[in-house]
Amino acid sequence: MAEEANNQTFYMSNMQPQYHAFNGYDSKDNNKKGLWLRMEQQLQTWAKNLGPNDTIFVCKGGTIDDEKNIIKRIDNKMIVPKYFYMAILRKTQFGFAGMAFWSDQTNEYRTNETLLSHAISIAELEGKTGIDFFCNLPDDVEEKVEKTFNKTSWDGLR
């Protein structure tokens, strides 16, 4: 099942360039992990801890919409985004919970920064990106879950 899901989403067109120090680890020091890598690992932990009837929805991307949101263009074509984001919606027997990550992409490991320092509400992320992430939810649920970020609902944000 996981392999099938990977095959449905792992395309070159679904990739954006990232600095190794942002989405990798130091081969000499495994405790030195990039900020985006730590976000991805935390997301995987949340997904692994879901109950059998729970679901997690994730939208990820980088900013490519405006020159001020772009670090550079490689060969005047491929865009290197200045910011990366995740919008995360979790549905469990207790209802919906939402949160987002927003981070500038830098070429340093930033191990002193917590995930919590990059966690925001989905509504705040929508304001930064102009994207309506979970528009298929009923309006009353969407409004509540996107405006509310309760850090106690999300273990591991240190």
Side-chain angles (χ1 to χ4, degrees), residues 21-136:
F22 185 62
N23 190 20
Y25 64 92
D26 185 333
S27 60
K28 296 175 185 154
D29 181 356
N30 284 339
N31 293 322
K32 208 174 198 180
K33 296 178 182 176
L35 182 61
W36 187 259
L37 175 61
R38 291 189 291 132
M39 290 175 182
E40 292 272 13
Q41 289 175 333
Q42 184 57 59
L43 177 60
Q44 290 171 9
T45 298
W46 289 329
K48 287 175 187 172
N49 290 328
L50 290 173
N53 297 316
D54 300 341
T55 305
I56 196 162
F57 303 92
V58 184
C59 301
K60 299 183 213 176
T63 55
I64 59 172
D65 59 327
D66 190 318
E67 287 302 318
K68 73 179 186 303
N69 293 330
I70 296 170
I71 293 173
K72 66 181 177 180
R73 293 175 187 267
I74 300 170
D75 295 332
N76 209 21
K77 296 176 186 171
M78 185 180 297
I79 294 172
V80 180
K82 185 174 182 179
Y83 303 98
F84 278 87
Y85 59 83
M86 289 186 207
I88 304 165
L89 177 69
R90 184 177 61 211
K91 182 179 184 278
T92 68
Q93 64 183 356
F94 304 108
F96 290 95
M99 65 151 302
F101 285 123
W102 172 266
S103 178
D104 54 324
Q105 177 179 204
T106 61
N107 197 13
E108 52 194 309
Y109 286 100
R110 298 159 62 183
T111 55
N112 61 326
E113 296 178 28
T114 65
L115 297 185
L116 182 59
S117 68
H118 296 276
I120 59 176
S121 70
I122 294 169
E124 188 175 348
L125 181 61
E126 289 178 338
K128 291 176 180 293
T129 63
I131 299 170
D132 185 2
F133 287 101
F134 300 110
C135 58
N136 290 335

